[in-house]
Amino acid sequence: MAKKKTTKKRATKKARQGALPSKKDILSFLEDAGYESDRRMIARHFGIKGAERTALRALLKEMEADGSIKRPTGKRIKATGALPPVMPIDIVEVDDDGDLLCEAVGDPEDVGGVFIRISAKKAEKVKPVPGVGDRVLARLKPAGDNSYDADILKAIGKGAHKFLAVFRKKRGGGGSADPVERKTKGEFIIERSDDGDAKDGDLVWLETKNARGYGPRRARVRSIAGHIDDHNAFSTIALANHAIPTEFPPEVQKEANSRKLPSLGDRTDLRNTPLFTIDPADAKDHDDACFAEPDSDPKNPGGHRVIVAIADVSYFVRPGDALDKEAVKRGNSTYLPDRVVPMLPERLSNDLCSLREGEDRPCLAVEMIITSGGVKKSHRFIRAIMRSAAKLSYEEAQAIEDGAKANAEITASVKNLYSAYRARTTERAKRAPLDLDLPERKIILDKNGDVEKVVKRERFDAHKVIEEFMILANVAAAETLERARMNFVYRIHDQPDPDKLDDIRKYLETLDYKVTKGGSVRPANFNQLLKIAEERDEKQMVSEVVLRSQRQAIYSTENLGHFGLNLPRYAHFTSPIRRYADLIVHRALVSACKLGEGGQSKKEAVILADIAEDISDLERRSMAAERDASDRYLTAYLETRVGVTFPARIRGVTKFGLFVMLDESGADGFIPMRTIGNEYFRFNDGDHAIVGDRTGGVYRLGQEVEVKLVEAIPLTGALRFEMLSDPLPAQKKQKKKPAKKASYNSNRKTKKGDGAYPRERKKKRKRKSNAKPRKRS
């Protein structure tokens, strides 16, 4: 502060003497002037007269050339990056300390690159407390290094809408922009002063400008995100639209690069145990490894000893460090057709934490003893050093089980793991988890980054083997932490929503399926329904309908069980490289089992409920980005096939039209209501169908149809189709009766007034005919 006062005194002295000021003096004057000035005011302040004005003019031109100052309009002069003392700012982010990070409103050329912070304490004094997306009027105080501290004067509404678009340059400057998000439609005009030096085809972040009257919509370029012709543009759009960070801050990279592998120390030595990984052929990070052998305990004949070893991420990522803060911001890795956006830097995700073949790696392992009947008899957690004996793909593991030649030690371990799995199938059959049959598809890109083909993922027994033992390890983790009374995060899947359940029950009854009414529904109820659907060759359709009734699985500190897996307690333990929830569980296990450093901190334990909510939201964000990127890739793949006919299935019915999914590629598209058939169709919400006014013809959820591709817009991932199939013939109401005559739960007593059975409806009619209605108790 003293230094700044001395500088001002020198500048004042120069002003009195009429000496030519230094560049620093001029910048100091502009700062004191509050925003901007002009050459005449500068000359007057420093007492410059006569011939010295020419020298001042030359000095100001030099400062303009080196970027120290700029001329926003006419003769006005301002310091580069300087902002007025009071101006509107938009809140764009909240940091780990609760401070609000903001950006100035205005031309990016004038206000871009400036860092503005509102402290959490100051923000909390404003009622209601502003948040991300709000615009406030603030008083700014320079804080050095092109940054400002801000005090909120008042809230002034929401900030300008920001969105990603493709810029189209016009001759002479300026241009237009087409939004890439479906909810923002139409073209925006970009004036020359607002184009931010964008080139034709650039992907740009736009900010809407205030519109006057009924003229064209206008926007300004805030920043450039890439180019539409880049091979990875579709993923870039998806990541940008969902605000998923793609780069790690320097301090996070520095911390990751400083990490080193631990020594054996007190860890169990598993390096001579032939653990092996089984992953997709193109996997780069290997979270888990398995080993199995017959149990040597004579008291457990036919039983197995199974080890599931998981990367020890908790050793490298400690609560509260830079790596941890970045990981919790991301929540999980995001998987797109052309790339993976990892939760952790590659130094960890693909190197130190990855269980590479033939390399020593730290792990957190669970040893489980399983009986011949598949029951988990006991388990214990250990911290160890392992060395993967083999890196297998699912196809390779299946081939070994089917008789292909391989290393004798690995062959024995793979065979033993399959043997343990077969024992587990008995226990799994008793548990009866939900068995949906929903095909997965994979987009295969060629060397140029374009879609080469779309394939259905083949599901081997190897997938089921790994899935089964990962689930069992997750259950063991939840049991251990509950016994230790630790705070941790469950993976919960609540029972289906009663209203949705009733909705699909009514719909399936129209297709002559009998569905349980009332009471507590269990996965076995759905499985029996799916078994009947399989016999009718309708399992995929019914699986999708059943899926609609399910709630979304989330993370929570409150245990509600896992409906889909039919488990009373469940936690994610097996993928800490790509899921923050698993890292939380690892730390809790380290503390509960007293396995050394890197355990749960007291601060983390207190805020777990908030973290669980955040990472559940982040998981949905990643899923949305993955879906958006896939939609755009598939639309680009189909763009050359406009006019081609495809077999499809109706996946959604709305009052605006039908959503269909192509059997070949899994691409989703829309058929507008106005284009369907030669009559007016009405939306029937209860039957998930649209019905023709004249013929009574029906298009319904799950129906197989033929469609023609009419339009494909890769930029937004939108596909539009034309319906070629005729509607199903009108159904007589009597056809619904067989499904209503009997419920799956035939022993249930009918509740009065539910109208579920013909007998109850007769009783209702009798009551109505009574002259004296019975009084209610």
Side-chain angles (χ1 to χ4, degrees), residues 135 209 216 240 387 390 621 699:
R135 176 170 290 182
K209 296 177 71 175
R387 184 183 298 149
R621 179 182 73 169
Y699 291 105

Side-chain angles (χ1 to χ4, degrees), residues 3 60 67 75 89 93 158 224 285 289 386 404 421 433 491 650 663 678:
K3 190 174 181 180
L60 293 175
K75 297 179 180 179
I89 58 177
E93 189 179 343
K158 292 292 181 183
I224 299 170
D285 57 330
M386 63 160 283
Y421 166 71
R491 180 66 166 180
I650 297 175
D663 293 344
N678 297 317

Side-chain angles (χ1 to χ4, degrees), residues 107 109 167 169 172-175 189-198:
D107 188 339
E109 191 171 325
F167 181 73
K169 191 90 173 174
I189 302 300
I190 313 297
E191 295 173 357
R192 182 176 182 177
S193 59
D194 293 326
D195 68 11
D197 295 327

Side-chain angles (χ1 to χ4, degrees), residues 410-425:
I410 293 301
T411 298
S413 192
V414 169
K415 296 276 188 182
N416 286 331
L417 195 65
Y418 271 79
S419 177
Y421 166 71
R422 284 188 286 273
R424 280 291 299 166
T425 55

Side-chain angles (χ1 to χ4, degrees), residues 170-283:
K170 288 185 179 179
R171 189 177 297 175
S176 62
D178 299 312
V180 300
E181 56 181 33
R182 299 183 197 182
K183 66 181 181 181
T184 305
K185 297 180 180 179
E187 184 181 74
F188 284 78
I189 302 300
I190 313 297
E191 295 173 357
R192 182 176 182 177
S193 59
D194 293 326
D195 68 11
D197 295 327
K199 297 179 176 59
D200 190 68
D202 276 347
L203 280 169
V204 295
W205 279 107
L206 293 185
E207 177 184 82
T208 54
K209 296 177 71 175
N210 291 333
R212 294 182 179 178
Y214 297 95
R217 295 181 298 173
R218 300 181 184 277
R220 65 166 58 92
V221 175
R222 293 290 307 188
S223 60
I224 299 170
H227 196 279
I228 193 60
D229 291 335
D230 294 343
H231 291 304
N232 58 5
F234 296 141
S235 291
T236 299
I237 291 170
L239 293 168
N241 274 339
H242 293 280
I244 295 176
T246 56
E247 302 294 330
F248 287 97
E251 65 271 18
V252 175
Q253 291 283 17
K254 182 179 179 181
E255 202 166 84
N257 293 333
S258 71
R259 296 295 192 252
K260 298 190 183 325
L261 292 169
S263 59
L264 180 61
D266 294 332
R267 292 172 179 263
T268 303
D269 192 348
L270 292 178
R271 287 176 292 186
N272 293 322
T273 301
L275 287 147
F276 56 91
T277 61
I278 302 180
D279 290 292
D282 57 353

Side-chain angles (χ1 to χ4, degrees), residues 432-446:
L434 189 59
D435 183 24
L436 294 177
D437 181 24
L438 297 171
E440 290 185 48
R441 293 175 176 82
K442 183 177 181 181
I443 297 173
I444 307 296
L445 303 180
D446 61 22

